[in-house]
């Protein structure tokens, strides 16, 4: 700055000189380092300039003290974005870090500039993805075009940011109408596995739960809406049910996300018929729901199995107009093929031609198989050997070229049923034969239980099935006494029903060989199977499961099932089947039916007169007739109504809570009392009122189903007892 004109006092010159010497040159802003514009001395002293000679003269007459206040028309404060004008120090003392790095500076480090730009790069990519994702969601809500939206998301790329799209889609729909919420749920189901990896969908919902506290600021009912979205995701198989418990562990106790997860579990997923309710929750604004599509798929698959008309089936697939949901067709067709083995061949032909003709693409086909692999453990509860059957279907589809196995999840071998070595199975069969032969001689059920626990300590399902097969096979070669003992032992072993089913399936599969030595194998197997149902070792629906293993209508298996059903439908079937081999169903063959009734009556009389409840329960167990416990219920109820003494009611309560009397036996007992109410009313006038009271108490205690009604009781006498 030029002070030669004498415009500044000596005090100002001294201050400026000391500041200039101490200032850091690098701290000077770019504006201050810019070269001065060239101008002539005349221009500085122009008459039009604020510092014209006239003004100078006026200022020069002032004292140094009054000269500190400038009366110039020019403002001396710093300019906006600049370092200031003459007489200001802001630029020289500025130490702001926003200065631009100078490559010519001796202290310049290129790594500083490089690292800074590298840190911002990922954020820029995510910000760009966020903007594009928002636009895609807005367009989807306007057009309702699922296929076009899926293509746009695929073109967008960046699968590692898929979680953000999930979060954005749900959060934007939460603040809109039911139509947009339903559209969001359908799009998520379409994107799952095809466009987004399941892990990204999982992460997206995790982010939503974590941000509930922020969402609730703009969306007051965020907790309820988000809980419904999570429940819908679980029902649509895009979120595992374990998501709730796992996510709960990562949240603070006072977080709103905890409220979301609790509401999802208690209010939605735990409700009766929750799947149907959840799928229809936003039905008001959408004409077609996921539930409707599933029903249509199920219906046309059933029609196809009956008619075999592929053209009609393909027309139905086209009319659905949900190419993103074709994996559901694959899944349901496979389940139907596994449940009804006769339908396996036509259903696989349908899927094969659908893949070849382009009705179902490769991605949807693989997704359908993958979804079935995920649920094979649950499916095994209803379909015996579901894992093995599914493995065969996968192998067949892959060999025919319409399924890419490399895109599927690995179908691990079922640990229990397939880890048994041949040597171990052979050894168990030999020991089993000696155990059963000793039992036929001694009749000691406890000893048999002890031996089985020792030989099959891990309770292996495959070994249990082998024991069932061996027991019935040996009994069929002997007299009625051994057949009766075999049935009694089977009801006393408490094997899981699935293991018993597997045993009977093995018996039916080997029936052709058995028929060479035993011409009446069909009649014997049918009687053993019917007896297992009467003894409640198997439920009636297990007969259908066994029927799925029958390969043809004329096979021995189908004949066994037909005869079994005929035996169970006959009048007084229960009593006839129980006494088919001369016994009464007890561990002591030869007991008559009336003897058992008499023993039950004496047992109840002894307890009513002051006996101990534990002793009464022990006597009931020793009878070895769990299938006849409805007689205990009937006699206890009749005695309670006649004598108005509720001591026997307490016995029923203890028996039910301990599992000694099952729900089915309890219902049978109440049903038999309802049938004899008219006769009972002759001796006890208020019998009907009392019985109605006890029925309500039984319902409140959970002994009876709410649908039980004795006013229009049409109880079928399955066991032929009155």
């Amino acid at each position: 700055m030029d002070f030669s004109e004498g415009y500044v006092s000596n005090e100002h010159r001294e201050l400026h000189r000391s500041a200039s010497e101490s200032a850091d040159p690098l701290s000077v802003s770019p504006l201050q380092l810019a070269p001065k514009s060239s101008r002539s001395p005349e221009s500085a002293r122009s008459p039009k300039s604020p510092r014209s000679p006239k003004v100078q003269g006026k200022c020069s007459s002032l004292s140094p003290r009054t000269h500190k206040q400038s009366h110039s028309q020019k403002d001396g404060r710093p300019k906006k974005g600049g370092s200031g004008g003459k007489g200001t120090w802001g630029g020289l003392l500025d130490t702001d870090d926003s200065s631009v790095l100078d490559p010519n500076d001796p202290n310049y480090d290129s790594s500083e500039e490089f690292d800074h730009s590298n840190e911002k790069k990922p954020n820029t990519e995510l910000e760009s993805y966020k903007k594009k994702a928002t636009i895609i969601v807005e367009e989807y809500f306007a057009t309702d075009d699922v296929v076009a939206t899926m293509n746009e998301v695929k073109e967008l790329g960046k699968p590692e940011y898929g979680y953000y799209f999930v979060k954005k889609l749900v959060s934007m729909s939460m603040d809109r109408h039911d139509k947009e919420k339903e559209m969001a749920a359908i799009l998520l189901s379409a994107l799952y596995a095809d466009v987004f990896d399941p892990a990204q969908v999982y992460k997206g919902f995790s982010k939503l739960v974590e941000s509930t506290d922020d969402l609730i600021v703009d969306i007051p009912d965020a907790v309820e809406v988000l809980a419904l979205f999570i429940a819908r995701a679980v029902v649509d198989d895009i979120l595992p049910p374990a998501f709730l418990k796992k996510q709960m562990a990562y949240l603070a106790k006072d977080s709103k996300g905890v409220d979301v997860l609790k509401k999802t579990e208690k209010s939605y997923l735990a409700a009766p018929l929750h799947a149907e309710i959840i799928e229809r929750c936003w039905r008001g604004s959408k004409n077609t729901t996921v539930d409707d599509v599933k029903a249509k798929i199920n219906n046309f698959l059933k029609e196809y199995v009956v008619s075999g008309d592929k053209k009609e089936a393909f027309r139905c697939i086209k009319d659905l107009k949900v190419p993103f949901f074709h994996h559901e067709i694959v899944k349901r067709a496979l389940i139907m093929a596994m449940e009804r083995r006769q339908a396996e061949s036509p259903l696989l032909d349908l899927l094969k031609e659908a893949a070849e003709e382009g009705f179902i693409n490769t991605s949807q086909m693989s997704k359908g198989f993958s979804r079935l692999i995920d649920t094979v453990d649950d499916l095994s509860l209803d379909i015996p050997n579901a894992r093995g059957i599914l493995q065969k279907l996968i192998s067949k589809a892959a060999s025919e070229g319409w399924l890419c196995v490399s895109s599927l999840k690995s179908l691990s071998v079922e640990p229990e049923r397939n880890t048994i070595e041949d040597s171990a199975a052979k050894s168990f069969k030999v020991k089993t034969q000696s155990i059963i032969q000793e039992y036929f001689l001694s009749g000691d059920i406890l000893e048999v239980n002890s031996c089985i626990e020792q030989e099959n300590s891990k309770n292996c399902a495959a070994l249990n099935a082998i024991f069932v097969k061996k027991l019935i096979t040996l009994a069929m070669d002997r007299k009625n006494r051994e057949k009766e003992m075999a049935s009694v032992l089977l009801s006393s072993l408490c094997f899981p029903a699935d293991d018993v089913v597997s045993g009977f399936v093995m018996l039916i599969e080997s029936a052709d060989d058995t028929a060479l030595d035993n011409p009446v194998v069909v009649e014997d197997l049918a009687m053993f199977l019917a007896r297992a149902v009467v003894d409640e070792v198997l439920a009636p629906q297990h007969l259908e499961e066994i029927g799925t293993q029958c390969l043809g209508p004329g096979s021995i298996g189908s004949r066994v099932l037909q005869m079994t059903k005929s035996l169970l439908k006959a009048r007084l079937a229960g009593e006839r089947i129980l006494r088919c081999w001369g016994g009464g169903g007890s561990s002591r063959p030869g007991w008559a039916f009336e003897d058992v009734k008499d023993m039950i009556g004496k047992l109840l009389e002894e307890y009513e007169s002051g006996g101990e409840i534990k002793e009464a329960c022990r006597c009931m167990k020793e009878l070895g007739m769990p299938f006849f416990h409805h007689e205990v219920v009937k006699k206890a109820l009749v005695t309670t109504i006649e004598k108005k003494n509720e001591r026997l009611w307490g016995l029923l309560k203890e028996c039910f809570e301990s599992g000694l009397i099952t729900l089915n036996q309890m219902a049978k007992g109440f049903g038999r009392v309802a049938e004899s109410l008219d006769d009972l009313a002759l001796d006890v006038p208020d019998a009907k009122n009392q019985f109605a009271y006890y029925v309500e108490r039984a319902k409140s205690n959970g002994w009876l189903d709410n649908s039980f009604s004795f006013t229009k009781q049409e109880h079928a006498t399955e066991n032929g007892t009155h």
Side-chain angles (χ1 to χ4, degrees):
M1 188 180 289
D2 189 7
F3 295 113
S4 62
E5 302 297 334
Y7 298 141
V8 183
S9 64
N10 293 331
E11 183 180 1
H12 277 173
R13 284 195 184 94
E14 185 63 27
L15 288 171
H16 180 73
R17 183 181 63 77
S18 61
S20 300
E21 291 175 355
S22 61
D24 184 3
L26 291 175
S27 68
V28 181
S29 65
L31 288 174
Q32 292 164 328
L33 293 176
K36 291 174 66 177
S37 60
S38 61
R39 62 180 182 178
S40 62
E42 288 79 15
S43 65
R45 292 185 292 272
S46 172
K48 295 181 181 180
S49 173
R51 300 186 185 277
S52 62
K54 186 176 180 179
V55 179
Q56 293 170 19
K58 191 173 181 179
C59 292
S60 61
S61 63
L62 296 174
S63 63
R65 183 175 297 277
T66 52
H67 187 71
K68 292 179 182 179
Q69 275 189 328
S70 174
H71 295 281
S72 170
Q73 295 177 359
K74 185 174 181 179
D75 192 354
R77 292 176 295 178
K79 297 179 182 179
K80 184 177 181 181
S83 302
K86 291 184 178 181
T88 63
W89 304 340
L92 291 172
L93 300 178
D94 189 9
T95 59
D96 188 12
D97 292 335
S98 63
S99 59
V100 179
L101 294 175
D102 185 3
N104 298 321
D105 189 85
N107 296 322
Y108 171 74
D109 185 2
S110 61
S111 63
E112 295 179 9
E113 186 172 5
F114 177 78
D115 293 342
H116 184 68
S117 62
N118 200 30
E119 288 175 2
K120 290 187 176 181
K121 189 174 181 180
N123 293 333
T124 305
E125 287 182 354
L126 181 57
E127 289 301 322
S128 174
Y129 185 91
K130 287 181 178 180
K131 292 178 182 177
K132 293 177 181 177
T134 303
I135 294 171
I136 291 174
V137 173
E138 290 284 3
E139 289 180 355
Y140 171 62
F141 286 153
T143 62
D144 195 9
D145 192 337
V146 176
V147 177
T149 305
M150 288 177 66
N151 293 332
E152 289 179 4
V153 176
K154 287 179 182 177
E155 292 173 2
L156 183 59
K158 304 295 180 186
E160 66 272 17
Y161 296 141
Y163 71 90
Y164 178 79
F165 189 92
V166 174
K167 179 183 176 184
K168 193 67 178 176
L169 175 63
V170 175
S171 60
M172 287 179 66
S173 66
M174 287 172 65
D175 201 21
R176 302 191 180 219
H177 299 294
D178 285 350
K179 175 186 176 183
E180 285 78 8
K181 293 184 179 75
E182 179 67 23
M183 289 170 64
I186 291 175
L187 182 59
L188 283 176
S189 181
L191 294 172
Y192 179 80
D194 280 348
V195 180
F196 291 150
D197 188 76
Q200 291 293 319
V201 177
Y202 189 102
K203 184 178 179 181
F205 276 97
S206 298
K207 295 287 185 183
L208 282 165
V209 174
E210 291 169 3
S211 61
T212 307
D213 294 301
D214 298 329
L215 290 172
I216 205 169
V217 175
D218 300 320
I219 308 171
D221 58 345
V223 171
E224 183 175 351
V225 177
L226 184 54
L228 199 48
F229 262 109
I230 295 173
R232 176 64 178 270
V234 172
V235 170
D236 289 346
D237 293 331
I238 64 174
L239 262 189
F243 171 85
L244 302 177
K245 290 184 179 179
K246 289 183 179 179
Q247 196 63 26
M248 190 82 74
Y250 297 109
L251 298 174
K253 292 183 179 180
D254 58 345
S255 170
K256 290 292 182 184
V258 174
D259 297 338
V260 171
L261 297 176
K262 287 181 178 178
K263 190 170 188 64
T264 302
E265 185 173 8
K266 295 181 180 179
S267 300
Y268 296 119
L269 295 179
L273 301 175
H274 66 275
E276 182 178 353
I277 294 171
I278 291 168
E279 287 178 347
R280 295 182 179 273
C281 58
W282 298 311
R283 182 182 175 86
S285 300
K286 287 289 288 182
N287 293 327
T288 305
T289 65
V290 175
D291 188 40
D292 294 331
V293 176
K294 288 181 178 180
K296 290 178 180 178
I297 292 172
N298 207 42
N299 289 336
F300 86 70
L301 285 176
K302 287 181 178 178
E303 290 177 4
Y304 166 73
V305 169
V306 175
S307 65
D309 190 346
K310 291 181 183 177
K311 290 184 179 180
E312 178 64 18
F314 292 149
R315 186 192 64 79
C316 292
I317 293 175
K318 281 184 178 180
D319 290 345
L320 288 175
K321 296 180 180 179
V322 285
F324 56 87
F325 202 56
H326 284 172
H327 56 82
E328 183 70 19
I329 300 174
V330 179
K331 178 186 174 184
R332 288 184 177 270
L334 291 172
I335 292 175
M336 195 175 292
M338 294 169 69
E339 289 177 339
R340 304 163 63 180
R341 299 304 300 277
Q342 299 91 336
E344 177 184 320
S345 181
L347 285 170
L348 290 182
D349 287 343
L350 176 68
L351 292 179
K352 178 183 178 182
E353 192 165 334
E356 292 173 348
E357 297 295 330
F359 290 102
I360 300 177
N361 61 38
T362 306
S363 176
Q364 291 290 310
M365 190 68 72
S366 299
K367 186 176 178 181
F369 273 90
S370 296
R371 287 181 61 197
L372 201 58
I373 291 172
D374 290 337
T375 59
V376 70
D377 290 330
D378 295 333
L379 205 59
S380 297
L381 300 176
D382 300 320
I383 304 175
N385 195 26
R387 190 180 294 269
I389 297 172
L390 179 57
Q391 185 65 62
K392 291 178 181 177
L393 296 181
I394 292 173
S395 301
K396 185 175 182 180
S399 64
E400 292 178 354
W402 52 276
L403 176 65
C404 180
V405 180
S406 60
S407 63
L408 298 180
K409 300 178 182 178
S410 61
L411 182 61
S412 58
V413 179
E414 191 173 9
E416 273 197 341
R417 296 184 185 270
N418 295 280
T419 56
I420 304 173
E421 298 179 358
D422 291 338
S423 59
K426 289 179 180 178
S427 174
F428 182 78
K429 288 179 181 178
V430 172
K431 293 177 181 178
T432 294
Q433 184 163 346
S434 63
I435 292 171
I436 295 171
Q437 287 173 346
E438 288 180 9
Y439 166 68
F440 286 156
L441 294 174
S442 66
D444 192 344
I445 294 176
L446 295 177
E447 180 65 22
V448 176
N449 271 316
S450 177
C451 292
I452 291 176
E453 288 177 2
Q454 184 177 352
E455 299 298 335
N456 186 15
S457 56
K458 295 182 179 179
N459 195 27
C460 177
L463 295 183
N464 288 341
I466 290 173
F467 186 90
V468 172
K469 178 188 175 185
K470 198 68 176 177
L471 173 64
I472 296 176
T473 301
L474 291 175
M476 285 193 298
D477 286 336
R478 298 183 176 236
K479 298 180 180 180
N480 287 347
R481 174 181 175 274
E482 284 77 11
K483 293 175 183 176
E484 175 67 24
M485 293 177 70
S487 291
V488 171
L489 178 60
L490 193 59
S491 65
S492 303
L493 289 176
C494 298
F495 282 163
D498 288 342
D499 299 351
V500 179
V501 167
S502 299
F504 273 102
V505 169
M506 294 166 66
L507 282 164
I508 292 173
E509 288 175 348
S510 62
D512 290 319
D513 297 332
T514 309
L516 299 175
D517 301 320
N518 183 6
V520 291
V521 63
V522 174
E523 291 79 0
D524 282 349
L525 281 178
M527 190 59 74
F528 270 110
L529 198 51
R531 178 63 179 269
V533 174
V534 171
D535 289 351
E536 295 190 348
V537 176
L538 295 178
Q541 58 264 31
H542 287 125
L543 297 179
E544 300 301 327
E545 294 180 16
I546 296 173
T548 60
Q549 307 300 315
C550 302
L551 301 179
S555 65
I556 286 184
S558 63
R559 288 161 55 196
V560 169
L561 285 176
Q562 288 175 2
M563 184 171 290
T564 302
K565 292 176 181 178
S566 298
L567 289 170
L568 291 171
K569 290 179 181 178
R571 187 173 179 273
L572 303 177
E575 184 174 353
R576 288 180 177 180
I577 293 171
L578 283 172
R579 304 191 65 172
C580 61
W581 293 306
S586 70
S587 58
R588 297 178 182 177
W591 272 0
F593 220 67
E594 295 301 324
D595 295 337
V596 178
K597 287 185 177 182
D598 186 55
M599 291 179 66
I600 291 175
K602 289 179 179 179
L603 183 155
L604 295 176
E605 287 177 8
E606 183 178 342
Y607 173 73
E608 187 186 16
S609 61
E612 294 184 1
I613 196 165
K614 290 184 179 179
E615 180 66 17
C617 292
R618 186 187 65 79
C619 292
M620 287 178 60
K621 288 180 181 178
E622 286 185 353
L623 285 175
M625 301 181 67
F627 50 85
F628 199 57
H629 283 170
H630 54 79
E631 179 71 17
V632 178
V633 177
K634 178 194 172 185
K635 286 186 176 294
L637 270 175
V638 171
T639 304
T640 301
I641 292 173
E642 288 178 342
K643 298 184 178 181
K644 295 183 172 57
N645 183 355
E646 293 197 355
R647 181 171 171 79
L648 289 176
W649 184 266
L651 176 62
L652 292 180
K653 180 180 179 183
E654 177 65 24
C655 291
F656 182 81
E657 291 177 352
S658 64
L660 193 57
I661 296 180
T662 64
L663 192 67
N664 186 30
Q665 291 293 314
M666 190 70 75
K668 283 184 180 180
F670 272 84
R672 290 179 59 202
V673 174
E675 290 175 347
S676 60
L677 268 181
D678 292 334
D679 296 335
L680 189 60
L682 299 176
D683 300 323
V684 185
D686 63 340
K688 291 185 179 180
N689 293 334
Q690 286 194 62
F691 182 67
Y693 166 73
Y694 286 119
V695 166
E696 293 304 317
R697 281 186 62 179
K699 287 181 179 180
S700 63
N701 291 339
W703 301 358
L704 294 176
D705 189 79
N706 288 329
S707 61
F708 182 88
S709 174
F710 71 93
T711 54
K712 296 181 180 180
Q713 185 62 245
E714 295 179 2
H715 181 70
T717 57
E718 297 180 10
N719 289 337
T721 52
H722 294 279

